[in-house]
Amino acid sequence: MAASQIKRKIETRPSGNAEECEATLTPRSPSKLNGRPASFPGPVKFSQGKANGAESQPLKGISKGNANGHNQTTSPMSPRGFLDRKLSSPMMPAFMTSAPGKVIVFGEHAVVHGKAAMAASISLRSYLLVTALSKSRRTITLRFPDISLDHTWHIDDLPWNKFAHPDKKKFYYDLVTSLDPDLLAAMQPHITSVSPSASVEARKINQAAASSFLYLFLSLGSQAFPGCVYTLRSTLPIAAGLGSSASISVCISSALLLQIRALAGPHPDQPREESELQIERINRWAFVGEMCIHGNPSGVDNTVAAGGKAVIFKRTDYERPPNVLALRDFPELPLLLVNTRHARSTAVEVAKVGALKTTQPIVTNLILEAIDKITESAQEMLAGPEFDETDGDSLRAIGELFNLNHGLLVSLGVSHPRLERIRELVDTVGIGWTKLTGAGGGGCAITLLKPSATNKDIKDLEILLDAEGFERFETTLGGDGVGVLWPAVLKNGTDEEGGEEIDQEKFLNARGREGVERLVGVGVHEKREGWKFWH
C-alpha cells in the first residue's frame, strides 16, 4: 500500500438495511491523547461532551480576543479556550466554500454483499456563498435557487434553549452518530414553515435541505451568531446518485466551522496530518447533515466530498464498522458523465440482485467475486508506480476494467436500455470506455475518455447524446475535496482592482451550470487562483 493511502475507520450503528448503514469517521489526532501517543493515522476514540475526549493538538494561526480586544494565541483544541473566544465579526468579508460530487467507479452491488467498492470525486461541485449582515439584522437566510428554496429565520426565535441545554449541547469536537429526537422535535415548527406553497415533492426536498442546514447551524452556532445569508448553487444534478446532498452538507459544515474558527488553514505548507484533521472535522458534521436528509446514509458520499480524490469502501459485517481507505494519490482522469434522465430506485435494483443470489447462488456469488477482483485490480493499477494518466496504455488497462465491470452488472440484471444506448453511442464514436455507475436501472453512465479523443470527436458524441435527450457533463475524476475562497474574490479577467468580488447578485444571476462554473467554478478546466484546499 502506498504511504499516502490513509486507512480510516468508520463507526456505524447497525441497520436492517443492507444497502445503507449509518457511518461516520472516527476522529484522529497526531497529538498525545489519553496518556498515550497517537501517531497519525491511528484511530483514537473520542468521548462526547467531555474534555478528555476533545482534540488536544493546537493548530497554528488561530487566536482569541482578550478583554482589551487584542488577539493572543490560544489552543483551539482546548474546550475552555475555544468557548472563551469571540465569534467572528459580523462584518466579516463574504466567503465561499465548495465540495465535489462523487461517482462509484468500481464495485456497484458487490459492495452490498461484503465486497469492496471504489468511489471518487468528480469536478461537478456545489458552491456556498456566505454573506454577513449588519449587526442590527438578526436573521439567517438560506437561498438555494436551484430547488426554489428561499427561507429566512429570525435568530432569536430559534430553539437555542433546547440545543444549548447541558444534556443536549454538542461542540465542534464531538462525534455525533445519531440525531437527537428532542432536538428534531424542537426544530420541527421552524421546518414546517419552509416552502408551504410548493408541491408536495418540492416541499419535501426543500424541508429536508432546510432541516440539514438548521440542525448544523443550531448545533455549532449560538444565539450571538451574526446574521448571514447562505446562498447555495450546484452544478450537480439532484437525485442522480452523484452525492449532491453530501456535497451541500460539506459546504455548510465547513462554512459554519470556519465561522466559529474551529478550522486551521487551508494553506500550502500545512502538514498533512493537520490537514487530515480538518477534513475529518468537516466530514463528521457533514455526516450529521446527511442523517437529517437520508436517515441512515452510508457515509461514503460525504467522505469523498470532504476529502476528494477516491476511497475504497468495504463492509463485511454489519455489526462492525466498515473499512474506508482514502486514496490520496488517485490521479485526475478525464471523464464524460451522462445522465439517462430515467428515474431509478436503488432499493429495487438491490432487491433484484438479492433475489438472483437466492435463486442462482453459485453463479451470482462468482459474479460478485469477479467484480471484487476488478476493484482490487483497479486499486493496484492506479497506485502502481508504472501508472501514468497521460499514457494510452495505462488508461486502456483501466478502460478494460470499466468494460468488464459493466458486463458483469448487466449479467446481474441492473442495466437499462438507456444505459446500453449510451454505451452504443460512445462505441460508435470510439472515444472511451463506458459503464453504469451507482445502482443502475437508469441513472448515470461514466465514460473514461481516451487520450486520443479530439475535441471534434467529443463534439460529435455530444450531438448524438443531445439528439436523444441525454444530459451530459464533461468532468474530471479524482479532483480536490472541500475548498475555501476567503474572501470571495476571484481574478476573472476583469478590471476590478484586486479581482472580481463575488456578491449575492452576481452569484444568483449566474445562469445555470455553465454560468456558475464560469463565475466561480474550480477544477473543471483550470485551477483557479484564490481557491484553497486541504490535502
Side-chain angles (χ1 to χ4, degrees):
M1 185 185 351
S4 61
Q5 294 180 338
I6 301 166
K7 192 164 186 179
R8 297 182 174 190
K9 185 179 178 183
I10 288 185
E11 291 198 354
T12 66
R13 182 180 64 238
S15 167
N17 184 345
E19 174 191 352
E20 285 191 329
C21 181
E22 176 183 79
T24 192
L25 289 171
T26 301
R28 305 183 306 265
S29 172
S31 60
K32 181 177 284 189
L33 295 175
N34 301 327
R36 63 179 177 83
S39 57
F40 183 85
V44 178
K45 203 67 168 165
F46 283 57
S47 61
Q48 297 190 35
K50 297 180 181 179
N52 65 1
E55 303 155 358
S56 59
Q57 173 64 31
L59 301 181
K60 300 176 182 178
I62 295 190
S63 60
K64 77 169 185 175
N66 62 19
N68 298 320
H70 300 296
N71 287 339
Q72 61 188 40
T73 302
T74 186
S75 168
M77 312 312 253
S78 161
R80 185 67 263 162
F82 180 83
L83 294 176
D84 284 341
R85 281 204 315 278
K86 294 181 181 179
L87 287 172
S88 306
S89 166
M91 297 308 292
M92 67 182 179
F95 72 95
M96 298 189 73
T97 59
S98 177
K102 73 91 181 63
V103 293
I104 303 295
V105 188
F106 297 105
E108 294 92 341
H109 288 282
V111 69
V112 177
H113 300 275
K115 312 300 182 183
M118 180 186 292
S121 64
I122 53 177
S123 55
L124 300 177
R125 305 175 67 93
S126 296
Y127 298 88
L128 173 65
L129 174 65
V130 181
T131 308
L133 302 175
S134 63
K135 291 184 178 181
S136 61
R137 296 180 63 182
R138 302 284 298 146
T139 59
I140 292 293
T141 297
L142 179 62
R143 288 178 176 165
F144 194 174
D146 300 325
I147 59 171
S148 301
L149 171 59
D150 190 337
H151 191 82
T152 297
W153 295 275
H154 289 275
I155 294 175
D156 297 327
D157 292 342
L158 294 172
W160 296 108
N161 59 329
K162 297 290 186 181
F163 277 79
H165 191 279
D167 293 337
K168 303 292 185 181
K169 178 62 182 174
K170 293 290 185 280
F171 298 95
Y172 76 98
Y173 50 79
D174 283 329
L175 176 62
V176 180
T177 58
S178 62
L179 301 177
D180 190 311
D182 293 335
L183 299 183
L184 288 173
M187 198 174 69
Q188 195 56 32
H190 304 277
I191 298 302
T192 54
S193 61
V194 173
S195 304
S197 60
S199 67
V200 174
E201 186 60 29
R203 186 164 62 250
K204 180 181 178 182
I205 293 171
N206 289 3
Q207 290 186 355
S211 176
S212 176
F213 168 80
L214 202 57
Y215 198 97
L216 293 188
F217 180 77
L218 289 165
S219 296
L220 292 170
S222 72
Q223 195 166 352
F225 216 78
C228 288
V229 178
Y230 297 84
T231 306
L232 278 159
R233 299 295 304 272
S234 184
T235 63
L236 285 158
I238 295 172
L242 301 177
S244 60
S245 66
S247 172
I248 291 167
S249 292
V250 168
C251 286
I252 293 170
S253 167
S254 56
L256 292 172
L257 287 166
L258 282 167
Q259 285 187 276
I260 66 171
R261 292 192 267 179
L263 296 176
H267 52 82
D269 58 346
Q270 192 166 24
R272 170 164 281 192
E273 59 269 26
E274 185 180 279
S275 182
E276 283 286 328
L277 188 63
Q278 314 313 303
I279 292 171
E280 288 203 9
R281 187 172 299 160
I282 293 166
N283 190 28
R284 278 182 279 153
W285 282 102
F287 180 75
V288 176
E290 280 283 86
M291 284 193 288
C292 292
I293 297 172
H294 297 296
N296 291 309
S298 69
V300 174
D301 289 8
N302 50 276
T303 300
V304 174
K309 294 298 183 180
V311 300
I312 296 290
F313 178 83
K314 186 175 184 178
R315 180 188 289 114
T316 55
D317 183 353
Y318 276 80
E319 298 299 321
R320 305 185 65 182
N323 294 319
V324 171
L325 182 70
L327 307 179
R328 288 288 173 239
D329 287 338
F330 190 90
E332 294 190 14
L333 302 173
L335 197 75
L336 182 68
L337 186 147
V338 182
N339 186 1
T340 64
R341 298 183 187 265
H342 180 79
R344 86 282 185 271
S345 167
T346 299
V348 168
E349 301 307 316
V350 169
K352 281 184 187 178
V353 178
L356 190 64
K357 191 176 180 182
T358 299
T359 59
Q360 302 290 342
I362 296 176
V363 175
T364 303
N365 282 324
L366 286 172
I367 292 173
L368 295 173
E369 184 68 29
I371 292 175
D372 191 44
K373 293 300 181 184
I374 288 171
T375 304
E376 183 180 310
S377 297
Q379 180 186 351
E380 291 177 358
M381 285 184 193
L382 292 165
E386 297 180 357
F387 184 83
D388 179 0
E389 60 266 34
T390 64
D391 176 62
D393 289 339
S394 291
L395 289 181
R396 184 179 300 107
I398 298 298
E400 289 170 350
L401 294 179
F402 265 49
N403 287 341
L404 288 169
N405 198 166
H406 181 83
L408 292 170
L409 291 169
V410 171
S411 299
L412 292 175
V414 296
S415 188
H416 184 272
R418 293 279 283 174
L419 289 166
E420 295 309 310
R421 181 58 177 161
I422 293 169
R423 280 177 50 83
E424 183 180 349
L425 293 174
V426 173
D427 290 345
T428 297
V429 180
I431 64 169
W433 304 270
T434 302
K435 66 178 290 292
L436 68 83
T437 181
C444 295
I446 53 175
T447 297
L448 179 64
L449 296 174
K450 295 179 179 178
S452 59
T454 66
N455 289 335
K456 182 182 181 304
D457 293 333
I458 295 173
K459 186 65 178 176
D460 289 344
L461 177 59
E462 289 175 348
I463 292 171
L464 294 173
L465 292 169
D466 291 348
E468 299 195 20
F470 294 108
E471 185 180 26
R472 53 179 172 74
F473 305 88
E474 192 175 344
T475 181
T476 301
L477 189 69
D480 290 314
V482 60
V484 179
L485 179 65
W486 186 302
V489 176
L490 283 170
K491 293 183 178 179
N492 283 342
T494 68
D495 295 330
E496 295 183 41
E497 185 176 354
E500 180 180 8
E501 182 178 349
I502 311 302
D503 58 22
Q504 288 284 322
E505 183 178 5
K506 290 176 182 176
F507 196 44
L508 287 170
N509 289 338
R511 298 188 61 181
R513 175 172 56 91
E514 294 80 6
V516 172
E517 288 183 346
R518 190 163 46 248
L519 182 66
V520 297
V522 60
V524 182
H525 302 296
E526 61 180 337
K527 299 295 184 184
R528 250 194 200 164
E529 185 178 350
W531 282 102
K532 294 182 174 60
F533 302 88
W534 286 278
H535 293 110

